[in-house]
Amino acid sequence: MRRLMRRVGFITLGILGLILVVLVAAFGWAQTGAGKRQILALIEQQVADPPARLHVDELDGLVPFDMQLTGITLADTKGVWFAADHLSLSWSPSALLGRHLRISDISSDRMVLSRIPESPPETKPSSKEAGPLLPNLPVDIDLQRLAIARLELGPTIIGEPASFAIDAKAK
């Protein structure tokens, strides 16, 4: 019996060790240029349907904790409707285990929302089907800092072109 318990202990340690090695290798790979390009390709693939086809030129920083994205665009069939020159994201992925989305910082030098994107006709809900403005999320959100140095709105958004700066937090 003692021998069996010892073997089970060694097997358990071996499995845990293997999982740790795989996690460390995946984290290390995510820090390489090839890893970051593949991560961007996966994200772009997930956001490939209108109204929000995503394109990002580059991903830098410590993935997934403190990342910087450059050359971000969202487009629909009429072209680009959102662009950001540089976007920084600092967050705590481990907080998701406790059902909390804890974002330390989202910041951008410049964002441009030139127009509201088109929605495919079959996805537009009628006024009777429309739900609440904000969705019910399965996590609590703690946004400690949102900073946009320059947010430019196109003339179709509020009737004339406008520029704003945003510095906010939300919980």
Side-chain angles (χ1 to χ4, degrees):
M1 183 68 169
R2 216 174 191 190
R3 193 193 255 187
L4 178 63
M5 292 303 288
R6 195 171 191 192
R7 281 187 182 171
V8 169
F10 282 133
I11 291 171
T12 303
L13 283 176
I15 291 171
L16 290 175
L18 182 62
I19 291 171
L20 182 62
V21 166
V22 168
L23 288 174
V24 168
F27 178 77
W29 173 81
Q31 306 317 310
T32 66
K36 289 176 182 179
R37 283 190 299 276
Q38 187 162 7
I39 290 168
L40 277 180
L42 288 170
I43 292 170
E44 287 175 348
Q45 182 181 11
Q46 293 301 310
V47 186
D49 293 326
R53 282 189 318 269
L54 172 69
H55 175 75
V56 180
D57 289 338
E58 191 173 0
L59 169 64
D60 287 318
L62 184 62
V63 175
F65 305 103
D66 188 15
M67 301 175 289
Q68 294 81 40
L69 302 167
T70 54
I72 304 160
T73 59
L74 289 169
D76 59 14
T77 56
K78 289 186 175 180
V80 173
W81 54 268
F82 173 82
D85 296 334
H86 180 87
L87 180 71
S88 294
L89 171 65
S90 235
W91 70 302
S92 174
S94 61
L96 288 173
L97 296 172
R99 298 182 62 177
H100 298 282
L101 177 56
R102 188 170 301 125
I103 301 169
S104 305
D105 179 69
I106 296 178
S107 57
S108 180
D109 301 332
R110 179 174 172 257
M111 290 183 171
V112 178
L113 180 61
S114 55
R115 60 183 171 79
I116 301 297
E118 282 191 340
S119 294
E122 65 273 4
T123 62
K124 289 183 182 177
S126 70
S127 61
K128 292 178 184 176
E129 295 172 343
L133 183 61
L134 296 174
N136 241 349
L137 299 175
V139 295
D140 294 329
I141 298 176
D142 181 7
L143 175 57
Q144 296 171 355
R145 180 173 183 257
L146 170 65
I148 303 170
R150 183 172 176 87
L151 173 63
E152 299 174 16
L153 301 179
T156 60
I157 306 294
I158 59 172
E160 61 183 68
S163 294
F164 301 94
I166 297 174
D167 195 359
K169 62 181 177 179
K171 196 164 189 172

